[in-house]
Every structure is written in structure tokens, then in C-alpha cells.
Amino acid sequence: MIARAGAGPLRRLVVLRHAKSAWPEGVPDYERPLAARGRRDAPAAGRALAEVDCLPDLALCSTALRARQTWELASAQWGTPPPVRHDPRLYAADVSDLLTAVHEVPAEVETLLLVGHNPGLEELVLDLAGDSLDDALDEVRLKFPTSAIAVLAWRGPAWEALAPGTALLTSMLVPRGRKKDEGK
């Protein structure tokens, strides 16, 4: 299934929607921080990625506050976080914008983490996935909630070769933290 993209190393695109954000009065959307639940769920997302052996070589993260906070809390769960590029194009991005950013990733990166927002992330996953394991694609179609993680696998010589329908959606996770984890 994932061989449709062509020859090359197995690559993984890990798509992480930012954790639950707060809606403080008078705060612009771009500056909205994580809510208490988001501060619990973001570390749980980081732990989930470590547990499924899906740590990235590079992360691309929206510059919106809630995405940056999600990245910081998730990556703090790993021994040595990978480099991160905060990209303003990822805020309010559509599929075309997201793919442009992904296509610019160096070929030596085999696992890429993309931290951003809906509806763009959900649409990207649905656009790239030609198929899925189990019912992962149906789960994404149903809902891609805050802190959701989609893992897409494909083979290709470089990121610029990633195209619609060429990836296999291998998993869809929605990690949730526990209230006792709040403040950690």
C-alpha cells in the first residue's frame, strides 16, 4: 500500500493537533493559551509518541501560542527533543500551505512531526491517506479532536514526493492526561 509513492526510505509524517486551548476574553485567537486540560493532554501526547516509538527527527510547529505550548509540553517528555522550526505559515493553514511546508523538509529527515490546527490538519491527513490500518481513516473522518495524533507512513526519496493518496494512515491516537498530571 505505502509503496505507491515510489522507492525510497520509509518515512513517517506525524500530525499533532494542538492541545485544548482556553478562550480568554479580549485575547486574539493567535495568542490563545492552552487550557488546563490542554496542559494535561500535551504531555500525554508526548508520552504516547514515545510509547509507539514515533519520535521525530524534526518538528514543524505553528507559531500560535497554543501550538508552541503543545510542542513544549509534548517534547519535554523525551530525553532529547529534536530540532523544531516554528513556521508562521502553519497558523490557519490549508492543505496546500501545509504540503508546501512539508515539501521543504530535508530528505535526511525520516520522521517529521507537524504541530498545528484544524481544519487544515484533518484535511491534510484525509488528503494524504490512500488507505489506513484498522479503522483509523474512519476515526479521522469522524473527528480529529485536540491533541489527536495521526501517523502517516509512505516511501519516497524526498519529502517533496509526498502526494495525495500516497500514504498509509497507520494509527490515530487521542492521548488524554489525568487531572493529577496538571501542573507538571
Side-chain angles (χ1 to χ4, degrees):
M1 277 180 222
I2 59 177
R4 283 182 271 167
L10 180 63
R11 298 180 184 279
R12 294 182 300 180
L13 175 61
V14 181
V15 177
L16 170 60
R17 183 176 174 199
H18 66 78
K20 183 74 174 173
S21 60
W23 293 82
E25 191 173 322
V27 173
D29 182 73
Y30 183 80
E31 292 299 326
R32 287 179 25 229
L34 291 181
R37 189 180 98 196
R39 290 190 305 272
R40 292 189 305 266
D41 292 350
R47 290 189 297 272
L49 288 173
E51 288 168 7
V52 297
D53 194 27
C54 206
L55 297 182
D57 302 314
L58 175 70
L60 298 180
C61 182
S62 163
T63 52
L65 180 59
R66 60 194 179 272
R68 288 183 286 128
Q69 289 177 330
T70 299
W71 160 252
E72 290 164 8
L73 291 168
S75 65
Q77 303 303 305
W78 312 326
T80 304
V84 60
R85 294 182 186 167
H86 293 93
D87 190 334
R89 298 175 298 174
L90 302 182
Y91 174 69
D94 61 17
V95 171
S96 176
D97 298 328
L98 294 167
L99 266 178
T100 296
V102 168
H103 286 164
E104 294 169 359
V105 170
E108 61 268 12
V109 172
E110 291 184 359
T111 299
L112 174 66
L113 174 63
L114 187 60
V115 183
H117 313 269
N118 259 5
L121 291 183
E122 178 178 336
E123 292 167 357
L124 178 70
V125 171
L126 294 173
D127 194 50
L128 293 176
D131 203 352
S132 72
L133 297 180
D134 302 322
D135 58 352
L137 205 47
D138 290 335
E139 290 178 43
V140 174
R141 284 185 189 113
L142 183 62
K143 187 174 183 183
F144 197 67
T146 55
S147 300
I149 299 168
V151 180
L152 296 148
W154 65 288
R155 289 196 180 277
W159 286 96
E160 62 193 14
L162 181 58
T166 60
L168 176 69
L169 180 60
T170 60
S171 63
M172 164 43 181
L173 313 164
V174 185
R176 295 293 185 218
R178 297 181 305 260
K179 286 196 178 192
K180 70 176 191 173
D181 292 338
E182 193 171 321
K184 287 187 179 180

